[in-house]
Amino acid sequence: MATYPDSGPYVPEPTFEAWLEKHGFPETYVSIFDWGKEQLQQEYDLNFNIWDEAEYKHEELTKEYDKQHMARLEYMRANGIEQWSNLDSISQKQHIEQKDHFMDTISEINQERKRLKNDASVARRLLPLIAGVLEGTYQNYEKICLDERLTHRPGVLGLGSFWESIGPLRDKNWTVERRQRDSK
């Protein structure tokens, strides 16, 4: 049986603005409950596209990383290099330059993958809030607080219709699917 630390009583943020800040959501969302369906749908689509595209590009860069990593290992094997540090900086300069090229390329790929993962995470975290307002589950901040209060203590809730009665921010079953893409 799982045990959970006592997190104490649920204490909501005093204002929606404070709640947005606590969760790292944009200040511009302070008026989200007053947005029309069209604006909500546009915001949802924008964030969905950012998330979906960032995830896709991250996957593509991961494949490129793997390719570069394997090329580096193959280069080392083909040239009898066990450790880059064993190379002589004068007589094996071309190998050191090739190592630097591999390392620079891999570093650039990793930096871009990290940026994309962050972009995807930020956009993905916004989707349940926007969806909840768009579908009418969250008509105001009080409904968000109610859902948070109901789900505050992990392990005390049952399954079934309970999870269907709360909004997407706290619903552990809420998910969003990425677009299908043609395989290359």
Side-chain angles (χ1 to χ4, degrees):
M1 182 169 139
T3 59
Y4 300 94
D6 184 4
S7 53
Y10 170 72
V11 179
E13 293 300 315
T15 64
F16 183 55
E17 294 86 349
W19 183 88
L20 289 171
E21 184 177 336
K22 176 183 177 184
H23 292 283
F25 292 164
E27 288 179 32
T28 56
Y29 280 40
V30 73
S31 62
I32 195 169
F33 301 116
D34 299 324
W35 294 0
K37 292 270 189 208
E38 186 176 322
Q39 184 179 2
L40 287 165
Q41 188 64 57
Q42 287 174 349
E43 187 70 12
Y44 185 90
D45 292 345
L46 171 73
N47 282 284
F48 177 89
N49 290 336
I50 290 169
W51 167 71
D52 185 60
E53 192 63 24
E55 287 286 332
Y56 174 74
K57 287 179 180 176
H58 185 274
E59 289 171 1
E60 293 300 306
L61 280 174
T62 298
K63 292 174 189 172
E64 183 60 28
Y65 169 86
D66 292 341
K67 198 165 92 176
Q68 288 293 320
H69 178 68
M70 294 308 293
R72 180 183 63 84
L73 293 176
E74 179 56 29
Y75 182 89
M76 290 175 75
R77 188 196 61 72
N79 291 285
I81 301 170
E82 287 188 34
Q83 296 277 336
W84 293 112
S85 59
N86 294 341
L87 296 176
D88 179 68
S89 62
I90 297 171
S91 65
Q92 297 176 312
K93 184 178 179 185
Q94 76 279 9
H95 295 312
I96 292 174
E97 288 172 354
Q98 186 60 43
K99 174 203 69 142
D100 290 344
H101 173 73
F102 282 128
M103 296 306 174
D104 289 346
T105 301
I106 289 171
S107 177
E108 288 172 14
I109 290 170
N110 282 334
Q111 287 175 10
E112 183 64 7
R113 283 184 355 168
K114 183 177 179 182
R115 185 192 67 76
L116 288 167
K117 205 56 159 166
N118 184 60
D119 289 354
S121 176
V122 169
R124 173 61 178 85
R125 287 181 355 91
L126 293 171
L127 294 176
L129 173 61
I130 302 165
V133 176
L134 184 61
E135 68 188 16
T137 303
Y138 300 132
Q139 296 177 355
N140 54 44
Y141 176 52
E142 288 76 30
K143 173 58 173 150
I144 293 172
C145 292
L146 176 61
D147 284 0
E148 288 182 344
R149 182 175 287 108
L150 290 172
T151 57
H152 179 62
R153 293 192 182 223
V156 298
L157 302 171
L159 303 173
S161 64
F162 169 79
W163 292 107
E164 296 165 9
S165 70
I166 61 174
L169 280 168
R170 301 298 289 189
D171 183 352
K172 68 179 183 173
N173 299 314
W174 190 87
T175 188
V176 60
E177 299 292 325
R178 296 207 16 238
R179 284 191 191 98
Q180 293 291 330
R181 299 185 191 257
D182 294 333
S183 298
K184 291 182 181 180

